[in-house]
Protein backbone atom coordinates (compact mmCIF):
# COMPACT_ATOMS: atom_id res chain seq x y z
CA UNK A 1 0.00 0.00 0.00
CA UNK A 2 1.22 3.47 -0.90
CA UNK A 3 0.42 6.41 1.42
CA UNK A 4 0.07 9.84 -0.17
CA UNK A 5 -0.60 13.23 1.43
CA UNK A 6 -2.27 16.13 -0.36
CA UNK A 7 -3.64 19.54 0.51
CA UNK A 8 -7.11 20.51 -0.60
CA UNK A 9 -8.49 23.99 -1.01
CA UNK A 10 -11.25 25.86 -2.77
CA UNK A 11 -10.15 28.56 -5.18
CA UNK A 12 -12.04 30.35 -7.98
CA UNK A 13 -15.08 28.08 -7.54
CA UNK A 14 -13.02 24.91 -7.93
CA UNK A 15 -11.68 22.30 -5.56
CA UNK A 16 -7.92 21.91 -5.71
CA UNK A 17 -5.97 18.87 -4.56
CA UNK A 18 -2.21 19.06 -4.81
CA UNK A 19 1.17 17.95 -3.59
CA UNK A 20 4.62 17.92 -5.21
CA UNK A 21 3.57 15.37 -7.85
CA UNK A 22 -0.03 16.33 -8.69
CA UNK A 23 -2.33 19.31 -9.11
CA UNK A 24 -6.01 18.39 -9.58
CA UNK A 25 -8.77 20.94 -10.29
CA UNK A 26 -12.45 19.93 -10.13
CA UNK A 27 -15.93 21.39 -9.83
CA UNK A 28 -16.98 18.93 -7.11
CA UNK A 29 -15.37 16.68 -4.52
CA UNK A 30 -16.68 13.62 -6.36
CA UNK A 31 -15.03 14.78 -9.58
CA UNK A 32 -11.84 15.56 -7.66
CA UNK A 33 -11.75 12.03 -6.24
CA UNK A 34 -12.16 10.50 -9.70
CA UNK A 35 -9.41 12.66 -11.20
CA UNK A 36 -7.16 11.97 -8.22
CA UNK A 37 -7.64 8.22 -8.57
CA UNK A 38 -6.81 8.32 -12.29
CA UNK A 39 -3.72 10.44 -11.76
CA UNK A 40 -2.35 8.43 -8.84
CA UNK A 41 -2.92 5.10 -10.59
CA UNK A 42 -0.70 6.36 -13.41
CA UNK A 43 2.07 7.06 -10.90
CA UNK A 44 1.58 4.09 -8.54
CA UNK A 45 0.22 1.37 -10.81
CA UNK A 46 -0.79 -1.95 -9.30
CA UNK A 47 -0.79 -0.65 -5.72
CA UNK A 48 -3.49 0.15 -3.24
CA UNK A 49 -3.25 3.89 -2.51
CA UNK A 50 -4.39 5.67 0.64
CA UNK A 51 -4.62 9.43 0.35
CA UNK A 52 -4.77 11.72 3.37
CA UNK A 53 -6.06 15.16 2.38
CA UNK A 54 -5.65 18.15 4.66
CA UNK A 55 -7.66 21.31 4.09
CA UNK A 56 -5.66 24.48 3.50
CA UNK A 57 -7.24 26.91 5.97
CA UNK A 58 -5.75 29.93 4.17
CA UNK A 59 -8.00 29.11 1.21
CA UNK A 60 -11.10 28.24 3.21
CA UNK A 61 -14.20 29.54 1.37
CA UNK A 62 -16.10 32.29 3.15
CA UNK A 63 -19.42 30.49 2.60
CA UNK A 64 -18.06 27.55 4.63
CA UNK A 65 -16.67 29.55 7.54
CA UNK A 66 -19.50 28.33 9.74
CA UNK A 67 -17.72 24.95 9.78
CA UNK A 68 -14.33 24.09 11.19
CA UNK A 69 -11.79 23.38 8.42
CA UNK A 70 -10.72 20.06 9.92
CA UNK A 71 -14.20 18.75 9.01
CA UNK A 72 -12.96 18.76 5.43
CA UNK A 73 -9.82 16.74 6.06
CA UNK A 74 -10.38 13.52 4.19
CA UNK A 75 -8.93 10.04 3.90
CA UNK A 76 -9.68 7.88 0.90
CA UNK A 77 -8.33 4.53 -0.28
CA UNK A 78 -8.14 3.48 -3.90
CA UNK A 79 -7.84 -0.25 -4.48
CA UNK A 80 -5.68 -1.56 -7.31
Amino acid sequence: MKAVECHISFTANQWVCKNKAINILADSLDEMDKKLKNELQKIYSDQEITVQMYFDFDRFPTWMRQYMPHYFNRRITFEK
Side-chain angles (χ1 to χ4, degrees), residues 16-64:
V16 180
C17 180
K18 66 181 180 178
N19 65 17
K20 291 180 182 179
I22 59 169
N23 187 25
I24 306 289
L25 301 172
D27 293 328
S28 68
L29 289 174
D30 186 49
E31 181 186 355
M32 183 180 72
D33 291 346
K34 289 174 186 173
K35 288 182 173 183
L36 181 62
K37 179 180 181 180
N38 289 337
E39 193 64 31
L40 289 176
Q41 285 181 333
K42 290 177 192 174
I43 299 169
Y44 306 109
S45 60
D46 294 328
Q47 292 186 52
E48 182 175 278
I49 306 162
T50 297
V51 183
Q52 181 68 49
M53 295 177 243
Y54 299 101
F55 204 88
D56 181 354
F57 185 70
D58 292 336
R59 293 190 172 87
F60 199 65
T62 55
W63 53 271
M64 296 176 99

Side-chain angles (χ1 to χ4, degrees), residues 59-72:
R59 293 190 172 87
F60 199 65
T62 55
W63 53 271
M64 296 176 99
R65 298 270 166 136
Q66 62 185 330
Y67 305 106
M68 296 299 293
H70 65 268
Y71 291 158
F72 296 93

